[in-house]
Amino acid sequence: MSAQDAVPYPTVRTCPFSPPTEFAGYREREPIRRMRYPDGQLGWLVTSRSLARKVLSDSRFSARSDLKRVPVLRPGADPFFGAPALPGWILDLDAPEHTRIRQQLTGKFTARRMRGMRPYVEQVVAGLLDDMERDGGPVDLIEAFTLPLSTQTICELLGVPYSERDAFQRDSKVLFSLGSTAQQASEAMDRLYVLVRSLVRTSGEHSGLLHQLAEDGVLNEDEIVGAGVMMLTGGHGSTSSAMALGAYALLSHPDQLAKFQADPALTDNAVDELLRYATIFHFGVPRAALEDFEFEGRPIKAGEPVTVALPAANRDPAWFAEDPDRLDIERRTSGHLAFGHGIHQCTGQSLVRVEMRAALSALFSRCPDLALAVPPEEIALNTQTSPVYGVLQLPVRW
């Protein structure tokens, strides 16, 4: 395959819930094909579920930040991609360093422990819905509900004062915005590190995961701070986006919403179907080859970047056989890749599910007549502004 055959990463959508149409053709004809990165580097684009799982579980494909490239233009990533990983950022580390740090986090993110947070999450949900009903509509569901829910939950888990939310929400947006400059992203990261380091050093004054990691004494301060920043920045905005996009999808599919409201037993499956159907990590997962080898008939060269397109993999008819482009909350959802796959699979996925179950079930139970407050075509989506896909605002009434 020549350089002339290389394609850019598709980003233009014709439907708010469907990936760019090019993915389906690539997946059918060449599930691994040549891709051209914004800096001109040639690499590979993976679009099928089976190959996505293989790449994400193959140690020859590295997650190291010094080797990775972003698939779309993102100047704010320049200080971090192409440079050694920050201490504690397991997303940018390979084994054995990744394994050593992740083990300390995994034990604190067990499904059982996250289920133990359900009463707290449900209490926050109830309070936010009380506020919505008292204030009356219409409201922006993100500002009034999904963002404060995800923010309060991650603050409770980590032991971060909720009063710090304006600062870390602002800096998180800068850090992940496609429009941020390298300097702006570096300065935002510096401020986040100052905040979390101060909390780690005073961890005895509050409970939470930061305090527990400090007490365990296994990770050093820089690693705890790095892991804390990673969890804080990744644990509120992306979860809020998943909840808001899930609510928007249900509101846009009345038949599925009716099923969801009629049968609470469908809640767990509905959450996973929404995660699959509206995959929020729409610019994929970056990897890089550590050596020369042949992969699925393709000659992979050491140093070549690879991007795994999760939205394409989650629409693969080879696994999701019955019309994967259709939202079906009764579908068999096992095996979706919304949280990735392999050793870097999202540590906090159990907490995301707890939040989405509590939020969506209570929202559509307390507000059975919930509806969009503006025409669907006025709902703005961040297709070109963030690596985390979602709605910018979701005006609703009831």
Side-chain angles (χ1 to χ4, degrees), residues 213-231:
L213 290 171
E215 278 204 327
D216 290 346
V218 177
L219 303 181
N220 63 42
E221 181 179 279
D222 286 342
E223 291 167 340
I224 297 172
V225 172
V229 173
M230 180 190 68
M231 292 183 287

Side-chain angles (χ1 to χ4, degrees), residues 23-205:
F23 281 132
Y26 297 161
R27 188 179 55 229
E28 181 180 354
R29 295 187 301 270
E30 291 181 289
I32 177 169
R33 64 161 300 144
R34 271 302 194 187
M35 176 178 150
R36 187 180 298 278
Y37 286 73
D39 61 0
Q41 169 74 38
L42 292 181
W44 299 93
L45 174 63
V46 173
T47 50
S48 75
R49 178 186 175 276
S50 61
L51 293 193
R53 284 170 56 90
K54 288 181 179 180
V55 169
L56 296 177
S57 59
D58 190 328
S59 61
R60 295 173 297 180
F61 292 106
S62 173
R64 282 167 40 190
S65 58
D66 57 313
L67 301 177
K68 290 192 292 193
R69 280 182 167 82
V70 290
V72 298
L73 190 63
R74 184 183 166 191
D78 289 349
F80 312 110
F81 279 22
L86 296 170
W89 281 75
I90 57 174
L91 291 176
D92 294 334
L93 292 170
D94 289 343
E97 192 70 356
H98 167 273
T99 307
R100 179 182 66 83
I101 298 173
R102 185 178 175 108
Q103 284 177 342
Q104 303 306 309
L105 303 179
T106 302
K108 296 174 173 58
F109 276 92
T110 63
R112 180 178 181 180
R113 183 168 185 171
M114 294 304 100
R115 287 195 297 270
M117 289 197 66
R118 185 179 299 168
Y120 174 82
V121 172
E122 291 175 345
Q123 180 182 14
V124 175
V125 166
L128 292 171
L129 291 176
D130 287 344
D131 292 342
M132 284 174 52
E133 290 184 337
R134 181 177 59 254
D135 296 341
V139 300
D140 173 11
L141 195 67
I142 297 172
E143 181 181 357
F145 186 60
T146 66
L147 186 57
L149 170 58
S150 61
T151 301
Q152 289 186 55
T153 301
I154 197 65
C155 284
E156 174 71 12
L157 178 67
L158 296 181
V160 174
Y162 188 56
S163 58
E164 300 286 354
R165 64 189 181 280
D166 290 340
F168 70 71
Q169 285 176 353
R170 179 189 63 244
D171 287 330
S172 296
K173 285 183 180 179
V174 172
L175 190 62
F176 293 115
S177 171
L178 300 188
S180 295
T181 65
Q183 181 177 349
Q184 289 170 335
S186 290
E187 292 172 350
M189 183 71 88
D190 288 344
R191 289 190 294 268
L192 288 162
Y193 263 70
V194 169
L195 168 63
V196 176
R197 192 177 299 279
S198 69
L199 295 173
V200 170
R201 289 180 174 176
T202 59
S203 62
E205 299 175 10

Side-chain angles (χ1 to χ4, degrees), residues 327-389:
L327 178 65
D328 179 4
I329 66 171
E330 296 175 297
R331 180 193 307 277
R332 179 179 68 89
T333 59
S334 62
H336 72 73
L337 303 182
F339 295 110
H341 180 69
I343 65 172
H344 290 87
Q345 191 174 29
C346 177
T347 307
Q349 61 180 285
S350 294
L351 181 58
V352 175
R353 288 187 173 98
V354 166
E355 291 183 65
M356 286 190 68
R357 289 165 185 159
L360 295 178
S361 59
L363 175 66
F364 288 107
S365 175
R366 290 268 300 265
C367 306
D369 297 322
L370 193 77
L372 296 178
V374 298
E377 59 270 20
E378 294 184 16
I379 302 295
L381 297 114
N382 58 353
T383 55
Q384 307 290 334
T385 59
S386 171
V388 178
Y389 185 61

